[in-house]
Amino acid sequence: MDLYQQEYSTPNEIIQDEIEAIDLNYIREDLPKLVGSMQEGVKRIRDISTSLRTFSRTDSDRPIACNIDDGIDSTILILKHRLKASKTRPEIQVIKEYGQLL
């Protein structure tokens, strides 16, 4: 887009009308943010899916040793949206200080 605008700095009336109709400047500014949000959403979905599998352990019918810290982290991730501030309650800050279990 930058190269096009540099080479053709004065677009014809049809192109200028379309630029205004779609609010091209806003799209150019917002698109990187939108893609970043989509990537973050995909990462969050992947993490929640992994967390749910870790939490449920439904793929086995016998006890399996696991890291309790991972289970706590999975639960916090699943409930992350509930920790944010809302109109009726303040943000809940989680401080993770895991120790060694014997």
Side-chain angles (χ1 to χ4, degrees):
M1 290 298 282
D2 291 334
L3 184 59
Y4 176 82
Q5 287 180 334
Q6 180 182 351
E7 291 297 317
Y8 301 102
S9 57
T10 338
N12 66 33
E13 187 176 330
I14 295 171
I15 292 175
Q16 187 61 37
D17 289 346
E18 187 64 20
I19 287 172
E20 291 173 10
I22 65 171
D23 198 1
L24 182 61
N25 290 332
Y26 174 76
I27 290 173
R28 290 183 68 190
E29 179 183 316
D30 195 53
L31 186 60
K33 296 175 191 174
L34 179 63
V35 170
S37 294
M38 290 170 63
Q39 288 174 330
E40 183 64 32
V42 168
K43 180 183 177 296
R44 187 162 191 271
I45 289 169
R46 185 191 67 224
D47 291 346
I48 288 173
S49 175
T50 302
S51 296
L52 286 170
R53 275 186 285 143
T54 300
F55 183 75
S56 68
R57 301 264 182 216
T58 58
D59 56 347
S60 177
D61 59 349
R62 57 188 161 88
I64 298 174
C66 66
N67 183 343
I68 188 101
D69 296 348
D70 291 341
I72 294 169
D73 288 341
S74 296
T75 304
I76 290 170
L77 180 65
I78 291 167
L79 298 174
K80 187 176 183 179
H81 71 283
R82 298 289 306 260
L83 302 174
K84 294 180 182 177
S86 72
K87 293 178 183 178
T88 58
R89 64 177 172 358
E91 177 182 3
I92 298 171
Q93 183 181 11
V94 176
I95 300 170
K96 299 186 271 185
E97 295 179 6
Y98 303 138
Q100 291 293 322
L101 295 176
L102 301 174

